Amino acid sequence: MNVTIHPSKLAGIVKVPASKSHFIRTLAAAMLAKGTSKITNPSACDDAKAMLAIVEQTGATIKPDGNLLEITGTGEIPVDKTFGCGESALVARLMLALAALSSGKNNIEGTGTLLHRDLGDFEPVLEQLGAKCISSSGKVPVTIKGPIAGGKIEVDGTKSSQFISGLLMALPLALKKSDVKIIHPKSKPYLDLTLDTLNTFGIRILNVNHNRFIINPDQKYTPAEVEIEGDWSSAAFLFVAGAIAGDIRISGLNPLSLQADRAVISALEKSGAQVIQKGAGYAISKSELKNFRFDATDSPDLFPPLVVLAAYCKGTSVIKGVSRLANKESNRAAALKDEFGKLGIEIVIFEDEMRITGGAVLGGEFSSRNDHRIAMAGAIAALGAKGPVIIQNAKCITKSWPAFYDSLKRLGTKIDVENP
């Protein structure tokens, strides 16, 4: 499916979707709790659906009721299951650790972009904890035979925090006390989100500056009632849309959220964008934008919307943290450089920095690279462009925000959809 986004002036109110990061972690915790948990404001994205299917495979029952989801977990991970993670690296990395709680073999599989993603150095870690692993060079499919026993380990946090989150969720159920040392921890806000979710479900972990986690064994998950926060990763695109093309209000966000991408507010303020907080919502309008410098090492998903922002700023903006982009749904650094180059925006990558020189954004064709956030970046960039932008393979946005184009339409964006 191709989508053509025409230059448009935006106005109105839009509610952000539920955070898939928060929802997927909450589903995993509810699965491990024996009893019924109640979750309001569930996510409807593809990644969330993959996790829901896994929850059901473990023997849990799922009862939807409007905006409420009741999960009755068994508190156990069964054996001889194949857990399909779709294209979600978060689901896969969590399940690498959680599947190792089982006393038998389980398989972790995926589709599409996940087949090519390096899941990290999970094999030696799980083997030190007592499990056995067979993988395809660190990628799915993976076969894991547990159970993990706990113990003292070191984990490289350079590539991703998601497998570490899986360990934090699994090790409280192990038989022995665990002492987890993290080398070069990244994406610390995501670890905080995991710890907060665990705390809600009755799990206690000692966090020593994100470099070490002390985990007592034989803990129990207790059912909980959770409202899923609005998604700051999705909201980042709306904030940039307002800064370059309109006067909009964004609702459904927790201003005190632990989500890493709440840092978009800081980047917007550095660029001169006018952002006004109003309770659980924000107002943002078209502004005269200036070049900015921002460190996105702990919030790498902000690169795509911030590249759009930089394209409309005067001068050259610098975003640090390029090393975090290679192992996403696409090589995002290369994708952003090439695709924005097609729209007339020069991007230079030097060591760990991306330098974007703002200027006139041209119309043209823009490949999503089958990456939901690249597709969204192209769509937002089109709003103030000199001509329409055609987003190729635009349907990939269902991975995180199925209603993305509909939300833009409600704000006044002119969109043409071309179905194959």
Side-chain angles (χ1 to χ4, degrees):
M1 180 182 83
N2 291 344
V3 168
T4 300
I5 310 290
H6 297 266
S8 305
K9 184 178 180 180
L10 306 186
I13 302 173
V14 63
K15 183 179 180 180
V16 298
S19 164
K20 70 184 180 80
S21 295
H22 188 202
F23 184 51
I24 288 170
R25 285 167 170 81
T26 300
L27 284 177
M31 173 181 75
L32 295 171
K34 190 171 183 178
T36 300
S37 298
K38 296 181 179 181
I39 306 170
T40 55
N41 193 35
S43 170
C45 71
D46 290 349
D47 286 5
K49 290 176 181 177
M51 189 66 211
L52 274 168
I54 289 172
V55 170
E56 200 164 33
Q57 279 183 279
T58 66
T61 59
I62 301 173
K63 181 181 176 183
D65 183 12
N67 200 40
L68 173 67
L69 203 63
E70 291 189 358
I71 307 286
T72 303
T74 64
E76 298 179 352
I77 302 294
V79 301
D80 298 326
K81 296 291 184 180
T82 295
F83 297 120
C85 303
E87 293 192 84
S88 175
L90 171 58
V91 173
R93 288 175 176 135
L94 292 181
M95 289 309 301
L96 288 172
L98 297 181
L101 288 169
S102 172
S103 59
K105 287 184 179 179
N106 284 303
N107 301 311
I108 310 295
E109 294 187 351
T111 60
T113 57
L114 185 59
L115 295 172
H116 311 291
R117 293 182 70 173
D118 182 1
L119 297 177
D121 300 324
F122 61 90
E123 292 175 87
V125 173
L126 290 178
E127 287 173 358
Q128 286 180 58
L129 291 170
K132 295 182 180 179
C133 301
I134 301 174
S135 78
S136 179
S137 301
K139 302 178 179 66
V140 292
V142 181
T143 298
I144 298 174
K145 184 180 185 304
I148 51 175
K152 190 172 183 178
I153 54 170
E154 290 188 357
V155 184
D156 184 0
T158 304
K159 293 181 180 179
S160 173
S161 66
Q162 291 173 344
F163 175 59
I164 299 170
S165 286
L167 291 173
L168 295 179
M169 300 195 86
L171 289 173
L173 301 180
L175 295 177
K176 295 195 307 184
K177 184 175 181 177
S178 296
D179 187 339
V180 183
K181 182 179 180 181
I182 310 299
I183 310 300
H184 306 302
K186 303 292 183 184
S187 298
K188 296 175 187 177
Y190 286 105
L191 293 176
D192 289 335
L193 182 60
T194 300
L195 292 170
D196 186 65
T197 301
L198 290 172
N199 188 64
T200 299
F201 283 83
I203 299 296
R204 303 292 181 260
I205 291 177
L206 177 60
N207 172 15
V208 185
N209 298 321
H210 298 92
N211 293 304
R212 186 181 176 198
F213 296 96
I214 310 299
I215 307 171
N216 287 325
D218 203 27
Q219 297 189 54
K220 302 293 182 185
Y221 281 77
T222 56
E225 295 187 9
V226 182
E227 181 175 359
I228 304 302
E229 294 184 351
D231 185 29
W232 276 93
S233 301
S234 298
F237 290 97
L238 294 175
F239 278 110
V240 174
I244 66 177
D247 185 359
I248 65 175
R249 289 170 62 186
I250 303 167
S251 67
L253 291 169
N254 176 8
L256 301 178
S257 174
L258 295 173
Q259 294 176 54
D261 292 341
R262 185 169 64 90
V264 70
I265 297 295
S266 174
L268 288 160
E269 291 173 345
K270 290 174 185 289
S271 75
Q274 301 299 309
V275 184
I276 301 173
Q277 181 186 340
K278 296 184 176 181
Y282 291 81
I284 185 164
S285 55
K286 186 175 180 179
S287 308
E288 185 172 339
L289 301 170
K290 61 184 180 181
N291 61 315
F292 63 92
R293 177 179 287 271
F294 183 77
D295 187 347
T297 301
D298 280 341
S299 51
D301 285 346
L302 286 181
F303 263 89
L306 291 186
V307 166
V308 181
L309 181 67
Y312 283 90
C313 290
K314 292 181 179 179
T316 299
S317 299
V318 179
I319 309 174
K320 185 180 177 183
V322 172
S323 60
R324 304 297 313 284
L325 299 181
N327 192 32
K328 296 292 185 178
E329 284 82 353
S330 65
N331 181 332
R332 282 190 182 153
L336 289 166
K337 182 179 186 298
D338 294 346
E339 298 308 318
F340 275 82
K342 295 177 184 177
L343 304 184
I345 298 299
E346 180 184 18
I347 295 178
V348 175
I349 297 171
F350 179 74
E351 296 181 346
D352 200 34
E353 292 184 346
M354 182 177 288
R355 301 170 181 176
I356 308 103
T357 301
V361 178
L362 308 177
E365 295 190 351
F366 188 99
S367 173
S368 72
R369 308 290 182 100
N370 202 33
D371 184 330
H372 56 133
R373 300 200 194 281
I374 298 297
M376 292 179 191
I380 300 302
L383 296 174
K386 298 297 183 182
V389 175
I390 301 171
I391 312 297
Q392 299 166 334
N393 193 15
K395 194 176 180 180
C396 60
I397 51 94
T398 58
K399 178 175 170 58
S400 61
W401 191 358
F404 173 69
Y405 299 120
D406 290 336
S407 295
L408 288 184
K409 280 183 179 179
R410 285 196 293 273
L411 290 173
T413 306
K414 183 181 178 184
I415 302 178
D416 299 324
V417 178
E418 176 189 341
N419 289 305

